[in-house]
Amino acid sequence: MLHLRAGGVSVVVDLGGGTLPQVLHWGADLGDLDAAVLADLRTASRPMPIGFPVDGEVVTAVLPEQSAGHLGTPGLTGSRDGRDFSTAFLVTGHDVGRSDDGTQRLTVQAVDDAAGLALELVLELTAQGLVRQRGTLTNTAHDTYAVDGLLLTLPVPAAATELLDFSGRWARERSPQRTAFTHGTRLRDNRRGRTGYDTAFVLVAGTPSFGHRSGQVWGVHTAWSGNHRTLAERSHYQPGLLGGGELLSPGEVRLATGESYTSPWVYGSWGVGLDALAGRFHRWLRARPQHPRTPRPVTLNTWEAVYFHHDLARLTELADAAAAIGAERYVLDDGWFGSRRDDTRGLGDWYVSADVWPDGLHPLVEHVTGLGMQFGLWVEPEMVNPDSDLARAHPDWILRVPSRLPRPARHQQVLDLAHPGAYAHILERLDALLSEYAIGYLKWDHNRDLVDAGHGGVAGVHGQTLAVYRLLDELRSRHPGVEIESCSSGGGRVDLEILQRTDRIWGSDCIDALERQQTQRWTNLLVPLELVGSHVGSGTAHSTGRRHALSFRAGTALFGHLGIEWDLREADAQRAELAAWVAAYKDLRGLLHTGTSVHADVADPSHHVHGVVAPDGWDALFAVVATATSEAFPTGRLTFPGLDPDATYHVRPQPPGDVVEGVGSPGLSLPWWTAQGVRLTGRVLAEVGLQAPVLFPEHLVLVRATRV
């Protein structure tokens, strides 16, 4: 018996009997348990041997096996042309270690000599209380073994009766959906060849009516940027499992003698309330050595300002306007290369267009850097237009089945980066650009799903995903100062494995502030604010046609890595107001990007309260957001969670988000809505709350709470 403890979490693993490890408990810290208590915990956990598909009890290991009586989804699927389809692994050894960062690691070695397979399982508990596991399968026999899937699971108790996962589409990523956790399998397969808009993202099981601040929750995330699957499963003899792994196509992974396949990491987070679950992911990400620690620069991206219409005079004017309102990074988006004047041609020809840029990008780069801003560049290295010099010269570099091209999407195909020639070419082109120009940032896009993605006559998504990882790793090695954004038609590639190689994600192509309130809220379930690109758009949202006040647009973008997606030459009188929001972001980003994200469980569906509390509890910033009209008039009290319950806080409006736009304002006032504010304890703020200002729908205000 092994008891791992960290960050308020216990994981109890049963290694007895020679079978694969079984997790007896994953959840709240059980305290210091000696060997005798652990042995009795095992005894107390064993059921009556009745009702199982086989005589005796069923052992459901982290990699479930049918040979052990598990008749749900198997952990390993594969065969040798139909033989060795079922395994019965026996553990031959295990090792327990601890890393310098406090991570506890269990490594288990197992073999099935009859099937000719060896298995290594790694289960880790990080210092933050985050569980992660992966498996490596090795073929020890003389003939080939085809791997169809390797799925790893964690148990959840019968008390977890509700499931939360996510759907979505372009410009509406991570839309939550709740279902009952009943008997059967809820399987979320992703076959897009990228993480996907409609991925399960984080699959959460919880006690009835769990919220951001209440109820026990258990969540898993499959950290893989290609095809993958995530499941929740329950039966009459199994209280509940959550699991995940890569989704492999037939024949995609075939192991010759001595070859191995390693699954993606599958992460698990437990907490009381979704904020606690999210906090473990955030603290782990922030503890990584490569996590960005410099202030996240205000970013001006040119896409919605100019689209493909590149002109040096126009773009330098935009740079001047950006610098004047406080931008710190300037990103030139699509249209700078080859024949790329629209989205039908030129993709893959990563040479600066001599037609548009006769002197190269040097004049613009020098102008931008001369203004004190960092220069960034948009690229889409994994894609190619058929109407491009690259596709004409190398048609064999396209991911395809031998008999046909995949149907195009956005007039483009996918470049086969598992092809050595294609990989070497793209690496050389990106390396050359980063070497020639003072580029500090790449917006790395990926604008279509992988359909009929073949490599050498077999399925190619697995190889493509690994090749993309290698490409990113090599570029970062050669240019360690360059930051990279993971963009994929917006938020189509958001997972913990791509975030091992990138410095932020683009939350969504939709920067309509109302839509972004939901998208950013649920993206934050996995990703901390400093890694989520969030931009202020023009008065009319390009993706929805909605119009919003600048305070709503900027106040929404504030809770992320703030940027601007707007032709500032046309902003006119709003530039001063935007500059005030940029200045506020610079003042607040130290808090926003290191603090704990909190979300109130508001009974009124027309309002949301979310915020960030400093790690030491001394400071906090909250947004009060009205997405619709309330049934109450006036709105009523809202609570502000996450503060030190025994400390007293000075609570007041936070400029520039202190302007109340609502019915009766400014003629009528909220008594406490002054610079003097009120002084209340954290417990009062969380349990009693404050009267909220009456806001027009699709408006927000900011509230600051500082310990006194």
Side-chain angles (χ1 to χ4, degrees), residues 510 512-516 538-548 552-553 698:
C510 179
D512 175 320
L514 182 63
E515 298 290 334
R516 274 287 186 139
S538 64
T540 301
H542 290 206
S543 57
T544 66
R546 283 197 189 101
R547 292 191 60 82
H548 287 127
F552 189 55
R553 285 139 52 206
E698 299 171 30

Side-chain angles (χ1 to χ4, degrees), residues 1 72 105 107 111 240 336 357 366 403 447 479 493 588 611 696:
M1 296 288 289
R105 179 179 299 106
T107 304
V111 297
W336 57 267
W357 301 97
E366 291 166 5
S403 60
N447 275 315
H479 304 277
R493 186 153 65 184
L588 293 165
F696 287 135

Side-chain angles (χ1 to χ4, degrees), residues 3 9-13 22-30 41 155:
H3 184 196
V9 170
S10 279
V11 179
V12 178
V13 185
Q22 179 187 12
V23 174
L24 299 185
H25 171 79
W26 163 45
D29 189 356
L30 300 178
L41 173 60

Side-chain angles (χ1 to χ4, degrees), residues 83-427:
R83 295 176 291 108
D84 299 327
F85 66 92
S86 179
T87 58
F89 283 105
L90 294 177
V91 172
T92 58
H94 74 273
D95 177 69
V96 180
R98 183 185 292 267
S99 303
D100 292 340
D101 64 1
T103 297
Q104 301 166 68
R105 179 179 299 106
L106 167 65
T107 304
V108 175
Q109 306 290 342
V111 297
D112 182 339
D113 289 331
L117 297 170
L119 178 67
E120 179 183 85
L121 294 173
V122 177
L123 184 150
E124 295 183 345
L125 180 65
T126 73
Q128 300 79 22
L130 199 64
V131 181
R132 68 175 190 169
Q133 50 182 341
R134 70 179 178 187
T136 299
L137 183 74
T138 301
N139 180 18
T140 60
H142 294 297
D143 50 352
T144 299
Y145 183 85
V147 183
D148 295 329
L150 200 163
L151 187 84
L152 296 170
T153 66
L154 286 167
V156 293
T161 58
E162 292 185 13
L163 294 174
L164 167 70
D165 61 8
F166 297 86
S167 183
R169 58 168 174 82
W170 174 76
R172 204 178 193 279
E173 296 88 339
R174 288 171 288 287
S175 297
Q177 49 189 18
R178 289 209 187 210
T179 55
F181 193 176
T182 55
H183 284 195
T185 303
R186 179 166 178 79
L187 180 63
R188 297 296 308 280
D189 278 356
N190 172 64
R191 301 176 188 271
R192 293 182 176 272
R194 51 178 168 171
T195 318
Y197 314 116
D198 51 354
T199 174
F201 190 53
V202 181
L203 173 58
V204 180
T207 53
S209 302
F210 65 84
H212 288 289
R213 310 296 299 178
S214 64
Q216 287 198 76
V217 287
W218 296 259
V220 296
H221 168 78
T222 305
W224 185 247
S225 309
N227 294 338
H228 61 278
R229 61 183 8 175
T230 310
L231 65 79
E233 190 166 83
R234 172 166 282 163
S235 70
H236 69 273
Y237 63 86
Q238 173 50 253
L241 294 173
L242 302 179
E246 185 178 7
L247 178 59
L248 294 169
S249 295
E252 193 164 16
V253 173
R254 295 173 59 83
L255 302 179
T257 304
E259 290 184 338
S260 298
Y261 164 78
T262 299
S263 75
W265 286 107
V266 178
Y267 289 75
S269 183
W270 168 85
V272 176
L274 293 169
D275 282 352
L277 179 149
R280 298 193 193 282
F281 286 119
H282 299 174
R283 291 191 295 276
W284 178 79
L285 283 162
R286 287 171 172 170
R288 301 169 304 153
Q290 76 270 31
H291 191 77
R293 286 175 170 78
T294 56
R296 299 294 78 212
V298 178
T299 300
L300 184 286
N301 191 72
T302 66
W303 179 242
E304 289 194 5
V306 302
Y307 291 103
F308 289 104
H309 307 300
H310 286 199
D311 171 81
L312 179 59
R314 183 180 187 180
L315 288 164
T316 53
E317 285 180 33
L318 185 58
D320 292 338
I325 58 94
E328 299 160 305
R329 174 184 286 157
Y330 180 98
V331 180
L332 182 66
D333 212 288
D334 197 354
W336 57 267
F337 53 92
S339 60
R340 185 78 164 177
R341 306 290 83 80
D342 54 43
D343 68 356
T344 67
R345 53 189 166 147
L347 196 59
D349 298 336
W350 301 110
Y351 297 87
V352 178
S353 172
D355 295 334
V356 180
W357 301 97
D359 298 315
L361 296 177
H362 293 289
L364 181 61
V365 173
E366 291 166 5
H367 187 82
V368 167
T369 56
L371 291 169
M373 293 187 291
Q374 186 186 85
F375 184 80
L377 195 64
W378 178 94
V379 293
E380 193 175 0
E382 299 154 72
M383 302 293 159
V384 61
N385 286 132
D387 185 2
S388 67
D389 293 340
L390 182 64
R392 284 185 285 270
H394 298 284
D396 56 319
W397 288 3
I398 293 176
L399 269 176
R400 57 179 297 176
V401 297
S403 60
R404 63 183 180 274
L405 275 176
R407 292 178 61 179
R410 280 197 54 168
H411 313 286
Q412 63 192 52
Q413 297 288 351
V414 183
L415 200 63
D416 183 1
L417 290 179
H419 188 293
Y423 178 92
H425 172 76
I426 293 299
L427 176 60

Side-chain angles (χ1 to χ4, degrees), residues 602 604 606-607 624 626 628-638 660 662-665 668-672 690-696:
V602 180
D604 187 338
S606 68
H607 279 67
V624 176
T629 58
S630 174
E631 291 183 356
F633 195 67
T635 305
R637 288 194 302 223
L638 299 174
V660 176
V663 177
S665 62
L668 301 175
S669 61
L670 186 64
W672 73 269
L690 296 162
Q691 286 287 343
V694 178
L695 297 170
F696 287 135

